[in-house]
């Protein structure tokens, strides 16, 4: 009986505690916490991203205009060459033979001209004295003229043979570095409809460029002179700087995707950038430094009347754009004029002072989840993902 009384006493205490808990609400006290941000000076930029290929600003493909066997090669990959330097030679046996033949034909034509000149002079003298007919004189004159034309033709043949012989010696047209070599010694090259390519020479590897393919949706914002940064996979920790030097008008369509080529300067003093590397490019289409700005979500903030505590009030305005501050128990709206935005932050032109703390969002802590869900502000739309501004969150301070 004594133990039973003890258990009844414990049960009574538990029951009283349970009733007290239910009467107190049976839940944690709800609390509204506000997020704020300062109106401060910062940089705003928008950018687009693309990929491109690094290449020398000037590169020359060296070929040959005559056919023959490559007898000598004097350079290899990465060889540094000077303008006029001999870099290869073709076998000259046939070319020298053609030159000698052309010279022999010229000598024969000159001898014929000498004879026809003397013959023409003799017939002219006789014709002037009336000792030969006009037909004989004109025949001698015709032979003389043909002999002169033959000498001119033979001279051109000699000049052509000499030029072809000169083509057998391949020289560098520019100062630069040999990027590629397409032939080896003993290989036969045939110059018919197309000029055989022997070497590719880049003029200056310290001055490179990037050819970037920009989507048609982004090309409208790209202008000459805009700042560019890019990286390459070969040096993932390095960031390279450049600027847009040309926006080409010719469109390229591949798999129904239209792109435009944009040329970007790429100084390469350290010679880290090599031709053919893929560059991951960021073009800054808009940049404004040292402007008053706030997070863009502050312009979408609206106090929720359902969460006002006792004594709190809202001082609203009809302005289309406004920022909110909490001054004591009053939520006050400030009409503002905005400027540039990148979707993450927005420039404030006028309407509020630098350093002012504005409300950007609120959270409801405590209470049940259903109550918190009902308290969410219906005037706070979710921010949209802007493809062109995906890099805008990196701001310069």
């Amino acid at each position: 009986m004594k133990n039973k009384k003890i258990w009844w006493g414990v049960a009574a205490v538990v029951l009283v505690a349970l009733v007290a808990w239910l009467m107190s609400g049976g839940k944690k006290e709800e609390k509204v916490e506000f997020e704020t941000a300062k109106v401060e000076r910062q940089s705003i930029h928008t950018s687009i991203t693309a990929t491109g290929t690094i290449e020398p600003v000037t590169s020359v493909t060296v070929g040959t205009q005559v056919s023959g066997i490559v007898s000598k090669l004097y350079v290899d990959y990465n060889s540094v060459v000077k303008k006029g330097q001999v870099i290869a030679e073709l076998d000259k046996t046939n070319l020298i033979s053609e030159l000698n033949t052309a010279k022999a034909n010229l000598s024969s034509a000159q001898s014929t001209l000498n004879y026809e000149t003397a013959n023409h002079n003799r017939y002219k003298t006789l014709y002037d004295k009336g000792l030969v007919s006009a037909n004989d004189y004109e025949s001698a004159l015709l032979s003389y003229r043909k002999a002169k034309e033959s000498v001119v033709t033979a001279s051109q043949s000699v000049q052509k043979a000499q030029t072809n012989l000169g083509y057998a010696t391949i020289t560098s047209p520019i100062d630069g570095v040999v990027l590629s070599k397409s032939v080896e010694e003993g290989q036969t090259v045939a110059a018919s409809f197309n000029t055989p390519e022997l070497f590719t020479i880049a003029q200056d590897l310290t001055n490179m460029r990037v050819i970037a393919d920009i989507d048609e949706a982004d090309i409208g914002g790209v202008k000459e002179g805009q700042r560019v940064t890019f990286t390459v996979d070969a040096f993932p920790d390095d960031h390279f700087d450049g600027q847009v030097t040309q926006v080409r008008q010719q469109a390229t369509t591949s798999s129904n995707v239209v792109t435009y080529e944009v040329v970007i300067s790429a100084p390469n003093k350290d010679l880290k950038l090599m031709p053919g590397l893929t560059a991951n490019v960021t073009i800054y289409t808009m940049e404004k430094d040292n402007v008053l700005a706030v997070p863009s979500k502050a312009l979408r903030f609206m106090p929720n009347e359902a969460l006002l505590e006792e004594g709190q009030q809202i001082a609203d305005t009809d302005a289309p754009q406004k920022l909110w501050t909490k001054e004591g128990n009053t939520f006050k709206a400030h009409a503002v004029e905005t400027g540039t935005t990148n979707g993450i932050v927005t420039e404030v032109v006028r309407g509020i002072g630098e350093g002012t703390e504005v409300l950007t969002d609120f959270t409801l802590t405590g209470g049940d989840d259903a109550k918190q869900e009902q308290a969410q502000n219906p005037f706070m739309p979710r921010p949209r993902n802007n493809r062109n501004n995906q890099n805008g969150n990196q701001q310069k301070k």
Side-chain angles (χ1 to χ4, degrees):
M1 290 295 293
K2 186 176 181 179
N3 289 338
K4 185 179 292 187
K5 289 180 180 181
I6 293 174
W7 281 110
W8 276 109
V10 173
V13 172
V14 173
L15 180 60
V16 171
L18 179 61
V19 171
W21 181 79
L22 291 175
M23 291 182 66
S24 67
K27 54 185 178 181
K28 296 181 180 179
E29 182 182 356
E30 296 175 353
K31 183 179 180 181
V32 180
E33 295 181 353
F34 292 94
E35 298 178 11
T36 63
K38 283 188 177 182
V39 180
E40 58 186 0
R41 294 193 175 274
Q42 52 188 296
S43 298
I44 302 177
H45 67 256
T46 59
S47 60
I48 62 174
T49 59
T51 58
T53 303
I54 294 175
E55 63 179 39
V57 173
T58 302
S59 62
V60 178
T61 300
V62 181
T64 174
Q65 295 189 12
V66 295
S67 302
I69 299 174
V70 179
S71 60
K72 293 290 184 181
L73 287 177
Y74 299 105
V75 296
D76 203 346
Y77 291 94
N78 301 332
S79 296
V80 178
V81 296
K82 297 294 184 180
K83 182 178 181 179
Q85 177 181 337
V86 177
I87 56 179
E89 288 185 4
L90 303 182
D91 182 75
K92 301 179 181 178
T93 303
N94 292 336
L95 297 174
I96 293 174
S97 177
E98 291 177 0
L99 177 59
N100 292 335
T101 299
K103 288 181 177 180
N105 291 337
L106 176 60
S107 178
S108 176
Q110 189 63 52
S111 297
T112 301
L113 176 61
N114 293 339
Y115 168 76
E116 294 297 342
T117 300
N119 189 54
H120 167 262
N121 292 336
R122 183 168 57 255
Y123 268 86
K124 186 176 186 304
T125 301
L126 295 175
Y127 177 72
D128 291 341
K129 294 179 179 181
L131 299 177
V132 294
S133 65
N135 185 57
D136 291 339
Y137 170 70
E138 291 175 357
S139 178
L141 178 60
L142 178 61
S143 297
Y144 165 70
R145 290 176 175 173
K146 287 182 176 180
K148 286 183 65 177
E149 293 172 355
S150 296
V151 169
V152 172
T153 301
S155 297
Q156 294 295 326
S157 297
V158 171
Q159 184 177 351
K160 180 180 179 181
Q162 288 176 333
T163 301
N164 287 339
L165 182 60
Y167 286 153
T169 301
I170 313 299
T171 59
S172 174
I174 59 173
D175 295 343
V177 177
V178 177
L179 296 183
S180 67
K181 181 184 70 170
S182 304
V183 293
E184 298 292 342
E185 288 186 4
Q187 183 174 337
T188 300
V189 292
S192 53
F193 296 104
N194 297 319
T195 300
E197 297 181 0
L198 306 182
F199 305 94
T200 299
I201 300 176
Q203 186 173 31
D204 184 8
L205 293 182
T206 63
N207 185 23
M208 306 288 277
R209 66 181 181 181
V210 179
I211 306 298
D213 295 322
I214 307 299
D215 188 86
E216 61 177 326
D218 300 329
I219 193 64
V222 181
K223 301 290 185 295
E224 292 185 9
Q226 290 174 339
R227 184 172 69 93
V228 179
T229 60
F230 63 93
T231 60
V232 294
D233 292 341
F235 304 98
D237 296 329
D238 292 341
H239 288 77
F240 302 90
D241 298 318
Q243 70 175 30
V244 176
T245 58
Q246 186 182 52
V247 180
R248 295 178 176 173
Q249 302 294 325
Q250 178 64 41
T252 301
T253 303
S254 177
S255 301
N256 294 326
V257 177
V258 180
T259 58
Y260 293 83
E261 288 187 346
V262 172
V263 182
I264 300 166
S265 64
N268 187 32
K269 294 182 180 179
D270 296 333
L271 297 179
K272 288 184 176 181
L273 300 176
M274 294 182 287
L277 288 179
T278 298
N280 303 304
V281 176
T282 300
I283 302 175
Y284 294 91
T285 55
M286 183 279 295
E287 290 185 286
K288 296 187 73 173
D289 296 327
N290 196 31
V291 296
L292 285 179
V294 294
S296 297
K297 65 179 182 178
L299 292 163
R300 299 188 292 267
F301 176 84
M302 180 70 70
N304 193 321
E305 295 183 0
L307 299 178
L308 292 181
E309 297 178 359
E310 184 177 356
Q312 292 182 336
Q313 58 183 352
I314 296 176
D316 203 350
T317 177
D318 294 333
Q321 293 179 315
K322 49 194 169 184
L323 294 171
W324 291 86
T325 59
K326 188 174 183 295
E327 302 175 5
N329 288 331
T330 302
F331 293 90
K332 183 178 180 181
H334 301 263
V336 295
E337 179 183 343
T338 60
T340 304
T341 181
N342 63 5
I344 306 299
V345 294
T346 301
E347 177 187 6
V348 179
V349 178
R350 62 175 59 87
I352 199 166
E354 181 177 357
T356 304
E357 286 199 359
V358 296
L359 300 171
T360 60
D361 201 353
F362 69 85
T363 56
L364 182 61
T365 60
D368 54 62
D369 294 339
K371 184 67 178 290
Q372 291 188 44
E373 184 176 351
Q374 292 175 3
Q376 290 298 322
N377 192 340
F379 300 101
M380 297 285 286
R382 300 293 182 185
R384 295 178 296 177
N385 181 25
N386 188 328
R387 177 167 62 95
N388 288 348
N389 300 326
Q390 57 187 338
N391 294 320
N393 57 349
Q394 297 177 357
Q395 304 163 10
K396 296 181 289 182
K397 299 293 182 185

